Amino acid sequence: MSATKSKLSPAHTLSRRGEGPNPIDIHVGARLRLRRTLLGLSQEKLGEAVGITFQQLQKYERGSNRISASRLFNLSQVLGVPVSYFFEDMPSPEHIATPSPDLPPSETEEFESMARRETLELVRAYYRIEDSSVRKRTFDLLKALGGERALDEAV
């Protein structure tokens, strides 16, 4: 043993039985769901690619089941991202323990809203509009419906 002991950083606490999923597992699952959705993969297709059922993938995405290191590595390869991708934008330990409604949405939460099926279908439909003037008018209409004035009216 060394005479000088190094101080270890505090670890995130693990959930106990009955307390629900661990916030880190939820975050990793959300990042998994985000990447899968952005690639347009179904749970069934991704599950087949890594040798698990879509039900197991659902549990991973909800955070109710933890993803082993080897499975996370396989998922990262199939999804074309480094393993570190799943831990990006993870909130600090203070924010994991006590989420505050006063905090602005995290980048992950914003990405998750962008990865919803409805949002992706809307974006895909928008880019299928071949006429650029129709596409711009559609964009202005959507902004107006959402409460933002069109750029032309702002002047």
Side-chain angles (χ1 to χ4, degrees), residues 63-97:
S64 57
N65 281 13
R66 290 195 176 121
I67 305 173
S68 70
S70 58
R71 179 81 69 213
L72 194 60
F73 182 77
N74 290 354
L75 286 163
S76 73
Q77 288 182 315
V78 170
L79 296 173
V81 293
V83 172
S84 61
Y85 164 83
F86 298 103
F87 300 95
E88 289 174 1
D89 301 323
M90 194 159 69
S92 65
E94 304 83 47
H95 292 112
I96 287 176

Side-chain angles (χ1 to χ4, degrees), residues 4-146:
T4 60
K5 294 183 182 179
S6 63
K7 184 176 181 187
L8 299 176
S9 298
H12 291 287
T13 60
L14 298 177
S15 296
R16 293 190 178 102
R17 260 194 208 288
E19 290 183 7
N22 183 289
I24 297 169
D25 297 325
I26 293 171
H27 179 83
V28 169
R31 297 289 292 178
L32 171 61
R33 180 176 54 252
L34 172 65
R35 183 65 179 168
R36 176 185 60 76
T37 308
L38 289 174
L39 292 176
L41 292 172
S42 68
Q43 289 176 330
E44 189 172 5
K45 288 285 185 200
L46 180 56
E48 286 174 12
V50 294
I52 59 174
T53 65
F54 77 90
Q55 292 97 331
Q56 182 61 46
L57 193 63
Q58 284 176 333
K59 292 176 183 179
Y60 287 158
E61 289 184 357
R62 282 193 313 261
S64 57
N65 281 13
R66 290 195 176 121
I67 305 173
S68 70
S70 58
R71 179 81 69 213
L72 194 60
F73 182 77
N74 290 354
L75 286 163
S76 73
Q77 288 182 315
V78 170
L79 296 173
V81 293
V83 172
S84 61
Y85 164 83
F86 298 103
F87 300 95
E88 289 174 1
D89 301 323
M90 194 159 69
S92 65
E94 304 83 47
H95 292 112
I96 287 176
T98 57
S100 171
D102 300 336
L103 294 174
S106 72
E107 199 170 304
T108 300
E109 291 167 334
E110 288 180 23
F111 281 137
E112 285 176 6
S113 69
M114 293 302 294
R116 285 188 297 217
R117 181 176 308 279
E118 178 184 33
T119 307
L120 291 172
E121 289 175 8
L122 180 63
V123 170
R124 288 178 184 136
Y126 173 80
Y127 282 110
R128 283 193 302 265
I129 300 171
E130 293 181 16
D131 186 327
S132 62
S133 65
V134 171
R135 200 168 43 242
K136 183 191 180 320
R137 289 194 315 265
T138 302
F139 180 67
D140 290 340
L141 172 65
L142 290 171
K143 287 184 356 184
L145 290 171

